[in-house]
Amino acid sequence: MKASRIAAAGAAAGVTVLALSVPAFAHVSVQPEGDAAKGGYAVVDFKVPNERDNASTTKLEVTFPTDHPLASVMPEPMPGWKIDVTKSKLDKPLELHGEKISEAVTKVTWTADGKGIEPGYFEKFPLSIGQLPEDTDQLVFKALQTYSNKEVVRWIEVPQEGQEEPDNPAPVLELSAAEDGHHGSSDDEASDAKSAEKASADTAASDTASSGGTDTTARVLGIVGIVVGAAGVAYGVLAGRRRTTA
């Protein structure tokens, strides 16, 4: 009897822990495919789980940070979803590849034209973004998740360092240190050009050496032929003299 009570208490505790841990991972989040390096470009996925048993997720709205605007935002086509990209004028124009950008994407909206994300499933919403800022360690994206029963969950609370995660945290993209190579494409090209030039020079030298060897062989054979010919002529003259004397 005592053992049964202990088992029941353990099961109840396990269910409680599970229930408390669900909000910690069942929320809209963002992760890069690979690295999201400062100053570079990245493909990121907004992961959206369906947290309801009686409704599907039919809409996702992601708002982009205005303090670090991104000049380039390109969504990947997704079957079953209509995608709208909203741009807004910038208070301070950006400079990208020598050109001034006066507007940037401030929101991307995915609206289901089918079943959406059904209960028990999740889906990833990919975006190509850049140029990532170099003066911050993270980007905060606020998201709204709409269900088929018209319920809207607002994932907009910004997590604070040293504090517990809020109930509805906003997706946060952590940026890694700038890659040494993202400014060094011209150096790589120059290195490749030098390698190609060296290979060409080596080939030319090899061809010259081969040609020189062939010429030398021809000269040697020519000299040998002349010597043999001269020896033959001398032998013929001596033979003729012997016949005349006899």
Side-chain angles (χ1 to χ4, degrees):
M1 191 70 176
K2 186 176 180 181
S4 299
R5 288 178 181 176
I6 293 175
V15 171
T16 302
V17 171
L18 180 61
L20 292 175
S21 65
V22 167
F25 62 84
H27 57 256
V28 176
S29 60
V30 60
Q31 290 294 332
E33 295 182 8
D35 290 329
K38 298 177 182 180
Y41 290 78
V43 174
V44 299
D45 295 322
F46 287 89
K47 182 180 178 182
V48 182
N50 193 338
E51 297 181 298
R52 302 295 179 262
D53 296 329
N54 57 353
S56 298
T57 296
T58 56
K59 188 176 182 180
L60 174 68
E61 299 172 74
V62 175
T63 301
F64 284 70
T66 56
D67 54 343
H68 294 98
L70 300 173
S72 176
V73 177
M74 293 185 293
E76 181 178 329
M78 293 182 61
W81 296 86
K82 178 178 176 291
I83 306 174
D84 293 311
V85 179
T86 303
K87 292 184 177 181
S88 300
K89 291 287 185 181
L90 297 175
D91 295 333
K92 183 180 179 181
L94 295 174
E95 187 168 336
L96 184 65
H97 303 307
E99 297 183 5
K100 286 190 175 181
I101 308 297
S102 60
E103 63 178 13
V105 173
T106 52
K107 182 191 290 187
V108 177
T109 304
W110 292 265
T111 305
D113 54 16
K115 295 181 178 180
I117 308 174
E118 298 183 273
Y121 291 87
F122 76 92
E123 195 153 354
K124 291 181 179 181
F125 297 79
L127 289 174
S128 173
I129 61 174
Q131 185 172 351
L132 298 175
E134 299 185 59
D135 57 350
T136 185
D137 295 327
Q138 62 182 23
L139 292 176
V140 178
F141 301 88
K142 296 184 178 182
L144 302 182
Q145 182 179 9
T146 302
Y147 287 91
S148 56
N149 60 3
K150 307 304 180 183
E151 178 189 4
V152 178
V153 181
R154 301 167 64 83
W155 304 100
I156 61 172
E157 299 178 69
V158 181
Q160 301 296 326
E161 187 176 356
Q163 298 182 13
E164 292 185 2
E165 185 178 67
D167 293 334
N168 296 95
V172 177
L173 177 65
E174 300 292 341
L175 304 181
S176 59
E179 297 178 355
D180 294 337
H182 88 274
H183 292 304
S185 57
S186 59
D187 294 338
D188 294 340
E189 291 173 0
S191 178
D192 292 342
K194 288 180 180 179
S195 297
E197 183 179 353
K198 182 177 184 301
S200 177
D202 291 343
T203 302
S206 176
D207 292 343
T208 301
S210 176
S211 176
T214 302
D215 291 344
T216 301
T217 302
R219 291 192 187 97
V220 171
L221 292 176
I223 294 172
V224 171
I226 293 171
V227 171
V228 171
V233 171
Y235 177 79
V237 171
L238 291 174
R241 289 179 179 177
R242 289 175 181 174
R243 292 193 188 96
T244 303
T245 304

